[in-house]
Structures are given as structure tokens and as C-alpha cells.
Amino acid sequence: MRLFAFILQNVLRLIGLVLLLLGFLFWSGHSLEFVPIHMGLGVALVALLWVIAGIALAAGVKPGLAVAAILWGLLTLFFGMTMGHMLPGRAHEAIRVIHFLIGISAIGLAEMLGARIKRAVGP
């Protein structure tokens, strides 16, 4: 279980890095043709977050953080899929910042869950 969680966590890290790089490209007005890839990778990141949350629950980690990660994944999906219609014009920059913070928080939740899984399972 520990090895599986470690592998999933590293895949999530890699996807997160690609998402951040693509997001910064989009923010600068470049490579907009890759938005569908960004969205697909975002869905994959949320799915991995949910799997890691499930592993945490199975490993005996207190359920609070895992449940928060599952709910945060729902928020991440909803916000990511609807952000294009929020606050058009210059005000959309605030939506982009919120999107960035939500995504970074999803990655952070996966990191926290990974650490708790390691502690719960032991060496």
C-alpha cells in the first residue's frame, strides 16, 4: 500500500508540474490550443487525489483530511470546468488566481495525505 501511494503521489506531482507549466503558458497568452490537454490532466489530478484519499482511509488515517480532499476535488473540478464563464474582461484575472490557488491546494492535500499514509503504514 505504501509503495502504491508513493507511485501515485509521484505521478500526481508530475501531472501537477505539467499543469502549472501549461497554466503559466496560458496566462501569458501562449499555447492556448493545449487547453483541452490541461483540462484532461486536471481531471486526472483530481482522480489521483481521490485515489490517494481512499488509500489514506484504508490505511487508517483519520478521515478528516481525506474527506476534505474528496470535497476539494469536487470544488477543483467544478471551478476548473466553469471558470471560463466567470467575470469576463479584466476581472477574469481574479478567477485565474483563484484557479491557481485551488490547484496548488489540491496538490498540497495530496502531499499531506501521502505523508500521513507513510506514518500510518510505517516502514
Side-chain angles (χ1 to χ4, degrees), residues 24-86:
F24 288 130
L25 280 173
F26 302 152
W27 214 328
S28 68
H30 298 88
S31 305
L32 295 176
E33 66 271 14
F34 295 120
V35 168
I37 293 171
H38 180 80
M39 292 175 70
L41 288 173
V43 170
L45 185 131
V46 169
L48 286 172
L49 176 62
W50 286 341
V51 171
I52 291 171
I55 292 170
L57 290 170
V61 172
K62 291 184 181 177
L65 187 62
V67 171
I70 292 166
L71 295 174
W72 196 260
L74 287 171
L75 172 70
T76 303
L77 284 177
F78 173 77
F79 197 87
M81 297 291 184
T82 61
M83 69 175 275
H85 306 291
M86 296 178 191

Side-chain angles (χ1 to χ4, degrees), residues 45 49 69 72 75-76 98-112:
L45 185 131
L49 176 62
W72 196 260
L75 172 70
T76 303
I98 293 167
H99 178 69
F100 170 74
L101 294 173
I102 288 172
I104 286 290
S105 297
I107 295 168
L109 280 167
E111 290 295 319
M112 289 188 284

